[in-house]
Amino acid sequence: MNKVKVVFWSGTGNTEAMANAVANGIKAAGGEAELLPFETVSPSDVAGDNVIAFGCPAMGAEVLEEGTVEPFMMDYENKCSGKKIALFGSYGWGDGQWMRDWQDRLKAGGATIVGGEGVICNGAPSDDAVSQCEDLGRQLAQA
């Protein structure tokens, strides 16, 4: 099993907690996880990874964080064909439209979304959300 990168942006710590749970699931399934804040990687740094997880909370009117994550994704979505990608993030309002939009963008670029959809939670991750993130990590380790 290769190392699976878990790339995330977190403003309050909620999405970071989810990233840690995804990494724990990868490790529980025998994989190796590398946690990386979005600010520390570029799309070209992960272009060679066939399996990867991305986490970002909903911002503004249910969009990705605009200073780092959105520019990253605008570049990466043209490099994701054939990749297996897991998505996760927290929100404080709305109904998850940012996650559906994010999935659609990556699918349009040719990626497969692991787990069928992203894991989202309202505010801090509950025990159920942590469990879903761990399950997502296990699926990544086996992808």
Side-chain angles (χ1 to χ4, degrees):
M1 173 73 213
N2 291 328
K3 185 182 301 183
V4 178
K5 292 179 180 147
V6 180
V7 182
F8 68 95
W9 188 94
S10 188
T12 63
N14 294 338
T15 301
E16 182 174 10
M18 296 175 80
N20 285 315
V22 170
N24 289 341
I26 293 166
K27 293 172 190 172
E32 184 179 349
E34 182 179 10
L35 285 164
L36 298 164
F38 263 103
E39 303 84 38
T40 66
V41 296
S42 71
S44 60
D45 292 336
V46 298
D49 295 294
N50 291 321
V51 179
I52 193 164
F54 293 115
C56 182
M59 303 293 289
E62 285 207 77
V63 296
L64 295 173
E65 188 277 328
E66 296 175 302
T68 302
V69 181
E70 179 58 32
F72 181 104
M73 283 297 150
M74 285 180 67
D75 185 351
Y76 183 77
E77 65 192 27
N78 299 314
K79 296 175 171 62
C80 68
S81 183
K83 311 291 184 189
K84 295 178 182 176
I85 299 172
L87 301 175
F88 60 93
S90 64
Y91 66 99
W93 56 90
D95 69 352
Q97 186 61 46
W98 101 101
M99 185 60 68
R100 291 188 294 275
D101 292 343
W102 198 6
Q103 291 170 31
D104 289 347
R105 288 171 67 178
L106 293 172
K107 285 180 187 176
T112 298
I113 305 300
V114 175
E117 60 183 39
V119 175
I120 63 174
C121 68
N122 190 332
S126 64
D127 290 344
D128 183 52
V130 168
S131 178
Q132 290 178 42
C133 288
E134 290 170 346
D135 287 344
L136 192 61
R138 284 189 279 280
Q139 291 177 53
L140 283 170
Q142 298 166 0

